[in-house]
Amino acid sequence: MYALEAHHLSKSFHTDTQTIEVLRDISLQIPEGAFHAVMGPSGAGKSTLLNLLSGLLPADAGTLTVAGQTLNGLSDQALTLLRRRSIGIIFQAFNLIPTLTVAENIALPALLDGKPLPKARLDQLLEGVGLTHRANQIAEKLSGGEAQRTAIARAFAMEPHIILADEPTGNLDSCSAKTFCETLTHLNQTLGTAILLISHDAQVSAAADTIHLLKDGAICGSFESQHDASVVATRYLELMA
Ligand SMILES: Nc1ncnc2c1ncn2[C@@H]1O[C@H](COP(=O)(O)OP(=O)(O)O)[C@@H](O)[C@H]1O
Ligand SMILES: [Mg+2]
């Protein structure tokens, strides 16, 4: 069973004068509970891929299945529900509501879904991301590392099938990035939620078990990270050559 399955996805953007082919024939399978990463240079199409996989952007061709539900042809309302309940997203820029507290930000997706987040679940998430002592802090007063760990907890709040993260450590210092990766790994292992992490950083991608390389809009190879940044960096350079 796969948390996410993509087959032959493609995407182009059109301007008045030209067509930019950004993704070509992308197929990816993320098993339930797996931790995968997509790496690639700037402009390779990573963010576009994440936008397709999260249902934010329609693909031109191909099929996408999340949590056993095929997204192709879903109504806007069904897509919104699937995205809210089955997909957790972590953005580079955190995207917290600055005037709400850590706890309120984490509980927001559940509130929007009409079912307040149970206190025990909130406490478990706060503890999981190491922010129990910051629960009542206003988000705008958090450090970058704390803000991104709040965003992790928010992404896990609805017990999604998969977490998608686009360059989530891009605004963090290396120490906070390391804590971020350790937190994500811990939650992947304890909660069993699948993760697809997008990063161009070998150190960060090494947190994932399996890495897919995106080059010029196509997957050019996949390999096991061995949780070793130097292995990842070496394989990356070989496959990109
Ligand atoms: N909405 C858009 N309209 C036109 N071109 C786009 C759009 N979004 C992305 N692109 C182009 O697609 C390519 C891949 O972009 P992106 O997915 O952001 O790459 P990455 O995240 O790997 O840096 C780039 O050349 C970018 O300019
Ligand atoms: Mg990007």
Side-chain angles (χ1 to χ4, degrees), residues 17 21 29 44 46 49-50 70 95 97 99 123 125 161 163 200 204 227:
T17 53
E21 189 184 29
Q29 292 175 324
K46 301 184 299 297
L49 176 61
L50 197 109
T70 300
N95 293 20
I97 309 274
T99 52
D123 289 346
L125 289 165
H161 277 75
I163 302 275
H200 64 271
V204 172
H227 303 289

Side-chain angles (χ1 to χ4, degrees), residues 133-146:
H133 62 301
R134 303 294 258 168
N136 298 314
Q137 176 68 265
I138 297 286
E140 66 187 353
K141 299 253 174 72
L142 298 172
S143 69
E146 290 171 335

Side-chain angles (χ1 to χ4, degrees), residues 38-43 46-47 50 90-94 148 164-172 180 196-201 204-205:
V38 171
M39 290 183 78
S42 181
K46 301 184 299 297
S47 293
L50 197 109
I90 304 173
F91 301 93
Q92 177 172 346
F94 321 138
Q148 200 57 311
L164 302 172
D166 187 5
E167 302 277 6
T169 60
N171 290 349
L172 302 183
F180 173 89
L196 181 62
L197 168 75
I198 289 187
S199 176
H200 64 271
D201 184 329
V204 172
S205 299

Side-chain angles (χ1 to χ4, degrees), residues 35-141:
F35 189 170
H36 287 204
V38 171
M39 290 183 78
S42 181
K46 301 184 299 297
S47 293
T48 304
L49 176 61
L50 197 109
N51 288 337
L52 294 190
L53 299 181
S54 61
L56 285 169
L57 195 65
D60 296 337
T63 57
L64 175 62
T65 305
V66 176
Q69 213 178 339
T70 300
L71 271 73
N72 302 63
L74 279 189
S75 67
D76 283 350
Q77 191 187 8
L79 191 59
T80 300
L81 280 184
L82 177 72
R83 290 186 51 234
R84 191 186 291 155
R85 294 175 182 170
S86 297
I87 304 172
I89 305 184
I90 304 173
F91 301 93
Q92 177 172 346
F94 321 138
N95 293 20
L96 300 177
I97 309 274
T99 52
L100 296 183
T101 66
V102 167
E104 287 165 348
N105 268 286
I106 296 170
L108 196 58
L111 212 58
L112 291 174
D113 205 44
K115 294 183 228 86
L117 193 66
K119 172 88 168 67
R121 175 86 184 151
L122 174 64
D123 289 346
Q124 179 197 25
L125 289 165
L126 283 165
E127 196 191 330
V129 299
L131 287 174
T132 304
H133 62 301
R134 303 294 258 168
N136 298 314
Q137 176 68 265
I138 297 286
E140 66 187 353
K141 299 253 174 72

Side-chain angles (χ1 to χ4, degrees), residues 214-232:
L214 191 65
K215 181 184 178 186
D216 299 333
I219 302 277
C220 67
S222 302
F223 60 94
E224 299 305 308
S225 80
Q226 300 173 40
H227 303 289
D228 182 332
S230 61
V231 168
V232 173

